[in-house]
Amino acid sequence: MKLTDHQQKMLDGAYGKGKAMAMQIQTGIGKCFDAPRLVPITRAHVSLSAQVGDVWFAGRLFEAGATCEVAPTVNPGYSLARFQDALTPDAIENMRNTHRIYQGLGARLTYSCTPYLADNVPAFGEIVAFSETSVTIYANSVLGARTNRESAASALCAAVTGFVPEYGMLLTENRFANVAVEVKANMRGDFSYAVLGLAGKRIGKGIPVFLGLPDSIGTESLMALGTELNVSGNYDLFHIPGVTADIRNDPESFQRHEPQRVVTITDQDLEEVLEEFSPGGFGEIHYCILGCPHYTYQQIETVRRLLGATPSKVPIHIMTSATIKAQAKGSGLEDALLDLGAELIADTCVDEACCWGYLAGKPGVTDSPKGAYYMGTSGIKMAVRDIETCIRWAQKGRVC
Ligand code: F3S
């Protein structure tokens, strides 16, 4: 790999041990992928998980004196204020360490998994280093930024060095669709897009172009599609003619690159996919968890509208960013929800057993397949249904 003088000096330790460590990792990744050079990034997002391995790695960079050239936004960990009664002393110490280390590295402590909505929004063509299931695919597909699917560690090293190896999604020739997905299903809202994303096993490997979808698709639906594609498979990018960035202005362009296969998805396929992922068998439910990925303001308003004047029988926990929680507080939405049994929780991920472990063995409901998948690994079993059903069940405290 050809390095500039500046990059070589960084690798040789002229800017300190921490930057040299990060540069070793970036050049190592570049060699694995036969990247010819490193290119500068303008943004980064680190999917910190506040788990022990993640904190250990970030801590090593910090102790070696690294600071970020490009201040990254970061994923949620868990709110110490909200979960103070549930957390063990070790878990409290771990989150405090996470905060201290990432602050020392110069990160922006946004603790949100939807940076592409407000905190860290790349423009078309920007080269960035984004990690996190929903973040990378949204940035590539909807915004037309260029990023590989970084890990938390490689995104952090990119932020520290300011560079990424040039390969994969950074190159135009790798961004063409090679699977045509003809959707012959009635797409009835965000949840339909989540279930379409869950059909990854039927779609198979590659870069899908979805045909037959409406001309206009909302942000939340696009978030759901990208997120769940990466629950059912591994996807960097998807296209929708006239909607997603690479082919927004030239909707026919995907036809210039013949897809390797054509897959058709019908209503029956979507029903089967959901049934496979989340079979019935639920009776009583004890809670409803929403906001994986973190809910937008519009999604929170939808919960308020669906609740109407009937409070929930079981707690509704809604993960969102601190920015949106503050807006909801300011507008009175947060208090209105609290009166109806729904709370907004900032800075927190559903994949944190130290916060949610007490729910193990008690069934609940969510509108997020990703949330159900992760919480299922901690023994927390949730039915996955659309938001209307989630709220209806929550108001009854049972399947109805
Ligand atoms: Fe966000 Fe955690 Fe879900 S990072 S997408 S709330 S698993």
Side-chain angles (χ1 to χ4, degrees):
M1 188 188 310
K2 196 162 168 38
L3 300 184
T4 63
D5 287 350
H6 172 63
Q7 291 164 350
Q8 188 64 53
K9 276 189 183 168
M10 200 182 283
L11 183 62
D12 294 342
Y15 308 126
K17 276 188 192 162
K19 286 225 188 292
M21 258 175 73
M23 190 50 114
Q24 278 168 18
I25 290 168
Q26 291 302 83
T27 52
I29 294 170
K31 283 177 193 159
C32 290
F33 288 97
D34 291 327
R37 60 178 184 157
L38 296 173
V39 290
I41 56 162
T42 48
R43 301 171 185 278
H45 177 77
V46 176
S47 55
L48 67 75
S49 57
Q51 284 162 7
V52 176
D54 168 61
V55 182
W56 175 84
F57 178 76
R60 284 208 55 196
L61 283 176
F62 176 58
E63 283 154 19
T67 52
C68 291
E69 293 291 314
V70 175
T73 46
V74 298
N75 249 29
Y78 40 95
S79 164
L80 290 176
R82 166 61 182 78
F83 291 97
Q84 58 187 332
D85 296 336
L87 296 173
T88 63
D90 281 354
I92 292 170
E93 179 67 9
N94 186 55
M95 193 61 217
R96 284 197 179 133
N97 267 339
T98 301
H99 193 88
R100 177 181 60 81
I101 289 167
Y102 278 91
Q103 191 177 54
L105 287 166
R108 296 167 58 193
L109 299 176
T110 46
Y111 294 128
S112 162
C113 49
T114 52
Y116 46 79
L117 296 177
D119 298 317
N120 203 358
V121 188
F124 183 82
E126 268 190 80
I127 295 176
V128 301
F130 278 7
S131 53
E132 164 57 31
T133 320
S134 81
V135 175
T136 304
I137 193 166
Y138 192 95
N140 271 326
S141 311
V142 182
L143 305 177
R146 296 190 170 206
T147 175
N148 284 308
R149 255 179 326 119
E150 305 286 352
S151 67
S154 67
L156 181 56
C157 289
V160 166
T161 60
F163 297 103
V164 285
E166 190 180 42
Y167 72 97
M169 285 296 106
L170 273 48
L171 303 171
T172 301
E173 62 264 32
N174 296 327
R175 296 177 63 95
F176 297 114
N178 45 27
V179 189
V181 183
E182 292 179 345
V183 183
K184 296 187 174 165
N186 186 4
M187 303 303 283
R188 284 184 297 265
D190 303 339
F191 191 68
S192 301
Y193 288 84
V195 181
L196 179 59
L198 274 186
K201 285 201 179 79
R202 298 178 188 217
I203 294 166
K205 282 187 183 166
I207 298 176
V209 56
F210 291 96
L211 307 173
L213 292 176
D215 295 340
S216 166
I217 302 173
T219 299
E220 290 78 5
S221 293
L222 294 166
M223 284 166 60
L225 175 58
T227 303
E228 305 310 335
L229 278 169
N230 279 322
V231 171
S232 63
N234 298 313
Y235 295 90
D236 301 303
L237 171 67
F238 64 86
H239 298 298
I240 304 172
V243 174
T244 52
D246 281 19
I247 58 172
R248 188 173 295 144
N249 298 325
D250 187 6
E252 306 304 319
S253 62
F254 73 91
Q255 291 172 343
R256 293 199 285 272
H257 300 267
E258 194 64 27
Q260 290 161 7
R261 40 176 214 290
V262 178
V263 179
T264 302
I265 300 285
T266 63
D267 278 321
Q268 191 183 339
D269 289 314
L270 295 187
E271 280 164 24
E272 285 171 9
V273 162
L274 182 59
E275 175 61 25
E276 266 166 42
F277 188 85
S278 179
F282 285 79
E284 201 182 3
I285 59 152
H286 297 264
Y287 55 90
C288 171
I289 292 194
L290 307 170
C292 172
H294 279 179
Y295 253 19
T296 65
Y297 195 92
Q298 282 81 350
Q299 288 171 307
I300 297 169
E301 279 187 315
T302 299
V303 174
R304 167 74 186 84
R305 180 176 54 74
L306 290 170
L307 282 165
T310 310
S312 179
K313 267 210 173 117
V314 300
I316 300 177
H317 308 291
I318 308 174
M319 306 317 119
T320 191
S321 67
T323 311
I324 288 176
K325 186 173 185 293
Q327 288 171 10
K329 180 74 187 165
S331 68
L333 178 58
E334 181 173 27
D335 289 343
L337 282 166
L338 276 174
D339 288 345
L340 291 162
E343 67 162 338
L344 300 182
I345 303 176
D347 303 337
T348 301
C349 172
V350 301
D351 185 24
E352 296 289 356
C354 59
C355 303
W356 304 109
Y358 71 96
L359 298 176
K362 297 179 190 166
V365 65
T366 181
D367 64 344
S368 168
K370 181 182 176 187
Y373 172 77
Y374 275 125
M375 293 188 90
T377 63
S378 303
I380 300 165
K381 199 173 167 213
M382 291 193 287
V384 181
R385 294 296 184 270
D386 60 33
I387 186 62
E388 290 80 6
T389 307
C390 288
I391 299 302
R392 199 173 64 246
W393 289 8
Q395 285 171 320
K396 298 275 185 197
R398 59 181 164 76
V399 171
C400 55

